Amino acid sequence: MGKDYYKVLGVEKGASQDEVKKAYKRLAKKYHPDLNKEADASDKFKEINEAAAVLGDPDKRQQYDQFGTADFGQQAGFDFRDFAGGFNFDDIFDQFFSGFGFKSKRGGRPGRDLVAEVDITLENVSKGTTTEIEMQRSVTCSECRGKGGKNFVQCSDCQGQGMVRHAKRTPFGVFATTSSCGACKGTGEVAENVCETCDGDGVIVSREPVKVKIPAGIEDGMKLRVSGEGEAGSQGASAGDLYVIVHVLEDERFARVENDLVMDQPISFSTACLGGEISVETLAGKKKVDIKPGTQNNSEVRLKEEGLPDLRSSRVGDFVIKVSVEVPKKVSKKQAELLQEFEKEGKKKWGLF
């Protein structure tokens, strides 16, 4: 035996056709002259193609294993060993191995993913909401269910294979390429009765809004994935997904700190001293809140579990009231007298006079 083609491709003698194909793909990409500028890359690339042409054909491989010869001539109208021009490895592999039991018929193309943005309020965050997003997108034709027609027969252009071959003569020899059949769009079948609603495309343009459920507790900038609500796939392939980026609008009344809602609330000097009841606005409406006597400036009154729900658990944040004591800029004569009396009583208490 001359050259050891198994050693060239780095596979065992009992390797499957799929293993041979994978080994060739890996090595061809590594040593192709357009990608590898080493001095011996071109020779190595020719040797790899020579080995694949033998081991990729069950009959030639059997003769090689039995007689140790590789003198089988050219393969399928083109010479891999002289190929050195522009290339697409996926097309090469499909075309090269399709004659050895690997079918290259292609199905429809999955639909594209879409992205949309939506604005919501803190009230929406508190309870969750369902919103409708208006957009133009392709959807599966309901008339033909994405098939493009009915009464399908084998495509005469590709004989039902979904792929067609094209031979091109180059300075390095005749090179054959494989591409999707344009007549049947790679399906291998054509409809005798084309759908009039979608003109055989299987998809139509829709402007129907998409309903999106937004969970309670969602945070600004989060992205929701709505499965199957993107662009429709071709020839009945799966649709893409819709990704919705959520923006939580700022509220001039409250600030969000994780799951807590925080608000600033001014109170009078007398209320801070004597205590009392004030009214504050919450997401649920007006609420009465007790202020304890002696409340200090910048102190907090916390209403437990009256904030926002946590997206990932059953916990609920608090409603936090930051108290600021207002000092009047002007006082009446009567107020001044009372404050002076108040000041005297305070000094007596501390024994200052």
Side-chain angles (χ1 to χ4, degrees):
M1 183 179 295
K3 294 182 179 180
D4 187 343
Y5 289 139
Y6 291 103
K7 187 175 181 180
V8 170
L9 294 183
V11 296
E12 299 293 333
K13 189 172 182 179
S16 65
Q17 290 293 92
D18 187 53
E19 290 173 327
V20 170
K21 179 180 178 181
K22 289 180 179 178
Y24 171 75
K25 181 176 181 180
R26 175 177 55 82
L27 293 172
K29 286 184 176 181
K30 180 178 180 181
Y31 290 104
H32 192 281
D34 286 352
L35 301 176
N36 191 325
K37 301 303 180 181
E38 295 180 5
D40 62 342
S42 180
D43 293 337
K44 185 68 175 178
F45 182 70
K46 292 177 182 179
E47 188 178 44
I48 292 166
N49 282 317
E50 182 180 316
V54 173
L55 301 185
D57 185 327
D59 294 332
K60 292 183 179 182
R61 180 176 179 178
Q62 182 180 359
Q63 187 173 344
Y64 173 74
D65 290 341
Q66 186 173 358
F67 299 106
T69 178
D71 186 17
F72 307 111
Q74 299 295 322
Q75 161 64 28
F78 65 95
D79 189 353
F80 271 98
R81 294 170 296 177
D82 291 332
F83 173 66
F87 61 97
N88 183 317
F89 280 110
D90 290 335
D91 286 343
I92 293 172
F93 302 140
D94 285 342
Q95 189 273 340
F96 179 54
F97 286 96
S98 61
F100 309 143
F102 294 93
K103 290 192 175 182
S104 55
K105 179 177 176 181
R106 299 177 181 175
R109 178 178 297 176
R112 295 184 306 142
D113 293 336
L114 297 177
V115 178
E117 297 182 81
V118 63
D119 294 334
I120 63 172
T121 64
L122 284 177
E123 283 83 359
N124 299 144
V125 176
S126 176
K127 299 179 180 179
T129 186
T130 298
T131 186
E132 290 188 346
I133 299 177
E134 295 184 0
M135 64 174 64
Q136 179 175 296
R137 61 192 176 118
S138 63
V139 298
T140 301
C141 176
S142 59
E143 187 67 27
C144 65
R145 298 181 180 179
K147 296 181 179 179
K150 58 183 179 179
N151 300 331
F152 283 83
V153 296
Q154 179 177 291
C155 175
S156 59
D157 286 24
C158 65
Q159 304 303 315
Q161 295 300 307
M163 307 291 288
V164 291
R165 294 185 179 184
H166 308 277
K168 182 179 180 181
R169 187 174 297 278
T170 73
F172 304 100
V174 178
F175 177 61
T177 60
T178 306
S179 61
S180 179
C181 177
C184 65
K185 300 178 181 178
T187 64
E189 298 177 324
V190 292
E192 290 186 322
N193 303 105
V194 177
C195 177
E196 296 181 357
T197 302
C198 64
D199 293 327
D201 292 332
V203 297
I204 58 174
V205 176
S206 172
R207 293 176 177 81
E208 184 177 350
V210 180
K211 288 186 177 181
V212 178
K213 185 177 181 181
I214 298 177
I218 195 166
E219 299 172 14
D220 182 62
M222 281 188 168
K223 184 187 295 183
L224 300 175
R225 175 175 172 264
V226 187
S227 179
E229 291 294 349
E231 295 273 8
S234 63
Q235 286 92 51
S238 60
D241 298 329
L242 172 62
Y243 290 90
V244 181
I245 302 173
V246 178
H247 299 293
V248 181
L249 297 174
E250 292 186 2
D251 194 306
E252 61 181 12
R253 301 167 299 172
F254 318 113
R256 181 179 185 176
V257 180
E258 296 183 349
N259 295 321
D260 292 340
L261 285 177
V262 182
M263 70 170 297
D264 293 321
Q265 178 64 45
I267 61 173
S268 66
F269 177 74
S270 58
T271 301
C273 294
L274 303 175
E277 188 179 75
I278 63 172
S279 178
V280 297
E281 187 175 2
T282 70
L283 287 178
K286 294 286 187 179
K287 186 176 183 65
K288 299 293 185 180
V289 177
D290 288 327
I291 300 297
K292 295 180 179 180
T295 295
Q296 301 298 304
N297 187 45
N298 294 326
S299 61
E300 293 183 353
V301 178
R302 188 173 288 264
L303 306 181
K304 292 293 185 180
E305 296 189 349
E306 294 195 27
L308 299 174
D310 186 85
L311 181 63
R312 303 170 186 83
S313 70
S314 59
R315 196 182 78 82
V316 179
D318 299 334
F319 190 89
V320 182
I321 305 168
K322 285 192 172 183
V323 175
S324 59
V325 180
E326 288 188 323
V327 178
K329 293 181 179 181
K330 292 183 178 181
V331 295
S332 66
K333 184 178 180 180
K334 181 64 174 178
Q335 288 174 324
E337 292 175 352
L338 292 173
L339 287 172
Q340 289 172 355
E341 186 65 26
F342 175 83
E343 182 71 11
K344 289 179 181 180
E345 290 296 319
K347 288 181 178 179
K348 287 181 181 180
K349 178 179 178 182
W350 296 103
L352 297 178
F353 70 89

